[in-house]
Amino acid sequence: MDDHEQRTEAPARPGRVLIVDDEANARSALAELLEDEGYITSTASDGAEALEKLPLFEPEVVLTDLKMPRMDGLALLEEGKKLRPHVAFVVMTAFGSIDTAVSAIKRGAENYLTKPLDMTAVSALVERALEKSRLAAEASRLREQVERRLSFAGILGDHPSMQRVLKTVGQVAPTRATVLISGESGTGKELVAAAIHHNSARGKGPFVRLNCASLAESLLESELFGHERGAFTGAEKRRAGRFEQAHGGTLFLDEVSEIPLATQVKLLRFLQERELERVGGNETIRVDVRVVAASNRDLKQLVEDERFREDLYYRLNVVQIDLPPLRARRSDIAVLAQHFLRKYAEENGREIDGFTDGALRALVGYPWPGNVRELENAIERAVVLCEGNQIDADLLPVGSGREGPRAGEGDLGLLIPGVTMAEVERMVIERTLDAVGGSTAKAADVLGVSRRTIQYRLKEWRGGELEPDE
Ligand SMILES: Nc1ncnc2c1ncn2[C@@H]1O[C@H](COP(=O)(O)OP(=O)(O)OP(=O)(O)O)[C@@H](O)[C@H]1O
Ligand SMILES: [Mg+2]
């Protein structure tokens, strides 16, 4: 093939110009001139017709007369800018009426031409206007791209499993689909829920969160659906529930597995009918709310155990996002650790360059039962305690046992052999509790034991009092 031919540049994309004038002759003369110069043109005989053509023809430049029946040029300019902010308007004004031209410029017109038209001036102005319009469109495209990246930027992760998660978040966010986010404690469920909200059309609406494990059964129902005055003892005023508060936005139901069966029925009804009644009321209320739910327990298993309604499970699970535990995406550990290091160094006004090799090895080798939250806490602590400009393994809980024997490089930072089963158990429980913010229920979930087991151990070690839970 001829080398020369390959290098020939593709012709520039032809500009699109909409010509608006109530005089047919003027329209066709302009159209002819611009077509000759390689533009694609369309015409309209007044502002109203032009406005209708904007979304269909998608002009980059609008060349418009000012005095026209129905809708004049200034009104077209004003409405058109709202509809298509990047379109460049060039107004044509009768000789001697500079005032209107000036007010057009003030309202965002790119330039003006005086009639009778000088055709050379027309093509030069249209060319410049086209360039302006394309630059503006490009700038806003870039801005959107940056904003999109920023709003996802809170969620770090290059591991393929996280890339899949991010892709799903991007696909599902703009829809109204109910999403169920599952994953162990600290894997980023709330972060993902917030990202879904912020990247949806309802992103400017409220993001309301309710932890379903935090309230007693009777309270949960009125918290969700609100109540009428006198619905129960103590209900002195009518109160809007979280659903009503989330109108136009997203309701994030955290730990959805903890919703009692009776309340599950009501939630199901809302997801099916999009309407609800306040507790003690019979007025039916319609609200526009998207539901995103999260659980760190296996809902499917709970369905099998008849602790969670199957129909509700399917309603919630329109789209499922499963967040992998950190130990299943070890390649992300270093990136996350660097991110938290920068964050906490800045917050604490510390100058720390990074981690020693030993620290990085320890970070990557540790199983992180409390996932990203545990990692974040560990880094914050290390930053605060760090005296030099690098974080070494001994500042990380993974590098040295907090209790009992000091560590070598063992997976849990314990000397193996040389440590008793009881010590291992205590360390695992205490670290997990640390990582999940002290909640025995969450620690029990992570460790796969009952909450009672943990409470008994704590009672043994700490003497007497049971840990208060959320
Ligand atoms: N991929 C990630 N990138 C950056 N930060 C993350 C990521 N995942 C989690 N985090 C951070 O880790 C912490 C815990 O995340 P989050 O609260 O979303 O977890 P969770 O799954 O809701 O936990 P729990 O089940 O305990 O409620 C937060 O501070 C969050 O910002
Ligand atoms: Mg959470």
Side-chain angles (χ1 to χ4, degrees), residues 120-132:
T120 343
V122 173
S123 64
L125 265 189
V126 168
E127 193 183 328
R128 238 190 296 157
L130 176 67
E131 209 172 302
K132 273 272 174 72

Side-chain angles (χ1 to χ4, degrees), residues 40-83:
I40 298 173
T41 68
S42 181
T43 58
S45 59
D46 59 40
E49 191 188 341
L51 209 55
E52 276 170 27
K53 281 207 167 167
L54 275 186
L56 302 170
F57 177 63
E58 303 198 314
E60 297 168 281
V61 177
V62 174
L63 191 53
T64 181
D65 193 15
L66 281 174
K67 276 212 198 83
M68 291 178 294
R70 293 212 292 170
M71 182 185 257
D72 69 10
L74 283 185
L76 167 63
L77 169 65
E78 207 150 313
E79 292 306 307
K81 275 277 168 193
K82 281 188 216 155
L83 221 59

Side-chain angles (χ1 to χ4, degrees), residues 261 264 298-311 313-314:
L261 284 164
Q264 287 179 24
D298 184 356
L299 275 190
K300 193 125 211 234
Q301 183 60 50
L302 293 175
V303 167
E304 272 163 39
D305 298 346
E306 297 185 357
R307 296 234 0 246
F308 202 84
R309 291 184 66 103
E310 187 170 17
D311 44 11
Y313 171 72
Y314 287 112

Side-chain angles (χ1 to χ4, degrees), residues 8 50 57 90 107 132 216 370 403 405 415:
T8 316
F57 177 63
V90 175
R107 294 182 204 195
K132 273 272 174 72
E403 300 283 328
L415 273 182

Side-chain angles (χ1 to χ4, degrees), residues 1 9 21 27 44 48 59 62 68 93-94 103 117 143 177 210 229 234 283 315-316 319 323 325 341 343 350 360 381:
M1 195 195 277
E9 263 182 49
D21 201 314
R27 287 199 299 272
V62 174
M68 291 178 294
T93 166
S103 67
L117 298 174
R143 199 160 45 237
L210 180 66
R229 183 172 168 212
E283 181 198 348
R315 280 282 167 184
L316 288 173
V319 177
L323 284 172
L341 174 64
K343 173 177 166 186
R350 306 293 307 272
L360 272 179
R381 173 176 175 277

Side-chain angles (χ1 to χ4, degrees), residues 154 156 185-191 296 336 372-373 376 442:
L156 295 174
S185 190
T187 45
K189 296 185 293 297
E190 184 159 355
L191 201 59
N296 53 21
L336 284 163
V372 185
R373 179 179 296 109
E376 181 169 0
K442 283 182 185 168

